[in-house]
């Protein structure tokens, strides 16, 4: 869990959404989830057709990704940490080839070192980009977007502990027609 705090700048790393046929069902579920999971108002968002579903819709975006400053911290941290880890992995791989006596690496030690460090760093930065993009959130966001395009409603939860995740998922499963969550 500590590595998550080093890389990610957001408090809530998981999103849970329950999809509902109507507003009243979603409102009732939102209130019940708050009580059951011990969530505060900022962690529970009701999303529906009035919020719009366009990518640039401020209401939609702020309810599904409320920690905008945290996303920027994640971008910087993920790239720094994974880039440094990639460079370290490149150095270790280089040393492994040197110790193994690989003729190509030994005969061009300086250039080989630069290549291993460069490609290790690039691979690390690519991993940082993947961590920043949070592809696991796409399923939740796309599911909510599809639901509100059909005139339905969603309760989007931003839990910060595993206990809150478990309680929110359990409560929403009993009340909604579908529950989606990120990692």
């Amino acid at each position: 869990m500590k590595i998550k705090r080093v890389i990610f700048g957001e408090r809530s790393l998981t999103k849970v959404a329950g999809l509902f046929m109507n507003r009243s069902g979603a409102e009732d579920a939102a209130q019940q989830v708050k009580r059951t999971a011990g969530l505060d108002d900022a962690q529970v968002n009701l999303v529906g057709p009035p919020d719009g579903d366009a990518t640039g819709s401020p209401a939609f975006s702020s309810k599904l990704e409320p920690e905008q400053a945290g996303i920027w911290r994640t971008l910087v941290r993920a790239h720094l940490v994974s880039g440094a880890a990639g460079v370290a992995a490149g150095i270790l791989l280089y040393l492994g080839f040197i110790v193994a006596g690989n003729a190509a690496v030994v005969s061009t030690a300086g250039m080989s070192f630069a290549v291993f460090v460069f490609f290790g760093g690039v691979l690390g930065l690519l991993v940082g980009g993947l961590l920043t993009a949070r592809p696991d959130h796409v399923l939740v966001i796309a599911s909510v977007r599809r639901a509100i395009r059909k005139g339905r409603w969603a309760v989007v939860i931003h839990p910060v502990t595993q206990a809150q995740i478990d309680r929110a998922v359990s409560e929403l499963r009993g009340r909604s027609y579908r529950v989606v969550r990120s990692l």
Side-chain angles (χ1 to χ4, degrees):
M1 281 300 211
K2 294 214 183 237
I3 190 74
K4 283 183 180 181
R5 295 294 159 214
V6 170
I7 294 174
F8 297 103
E10 300 125 300
R11 253 186 64 212
S12 174
L13 300 179
T14 302
K15 295 189 182 325
V16 179
L19 307 179
F20 296 85
M21 298 302 280
N22 56 52
R23 181 181 185 136
S24 64
E27 287 174 339
D28 291 344
Q31 293 306 315
Q32 185 61 36
V33 168
K34 280 185 211 176
R35 285 190 296 275
T36 304
L39 301 165
D40 60 40
D41 289 341
Q43 291 178 273
V44 180
N45 290 298
L46 192 64
V47 184
D51 297 312
D53 62 356
T55 303
S57 168
F60 184 83
S61 297
S62 67
K63 289 181 178 183
L64 271 85
E65 295 287 357
E67 297 183 67
Q68 294 298 317
I71 292 170
W72 284 102
R73 284 191 300 273
T74 295
L75 181 131
V76 171
R77 289 178 184 178
H79 283 86
L80 286 174
V81 170
S82 62
V87 166
I91 291 169
L92 290 174
L93 193 56
Y94 167 78
L95 292 173
F97 276 97
I98 291 292
V99 169
N102 183 286
V105 173
V106 171
S107 67
T108 59
M111 186 174 289
S112 295
F113 179 77
V115 168
F116 278 97
V117 168
F118 175 77
F119 283 110
V122 168
L123 184 60
L125 291 173
L126 288 171
V127 170
L130 182 63
L131 291 171
T132 301
R134 298 300 305 269
D136 59 317
H137 287 194
V138 172
L139 171 67
V140 176
I141 293 168
S143 296
V144 170
R145 183 173 280 132
R146 276 193 304 275
I148 66 173
R149 280 185 183 149
K150 294 177 182 176
R152 298 180 181 151
W153 289 78
V155 175
V156 180
I157 313 291
H158 304 281
V160 293
T161 66
Q162 188 60 47
Q164 287 180 341
I165 294 168
D166 296 340
R167 287 186 201 123
V169 168
S170 175
E171 189 65 40
L172 290 174
R173 278 200 178 126
R175 295 175 169 273
S176 66
Y177 71 84
R178 182 172 178 213
V179 175
V180 290
R181 66 166 280 192
S182 64
L183 298 176

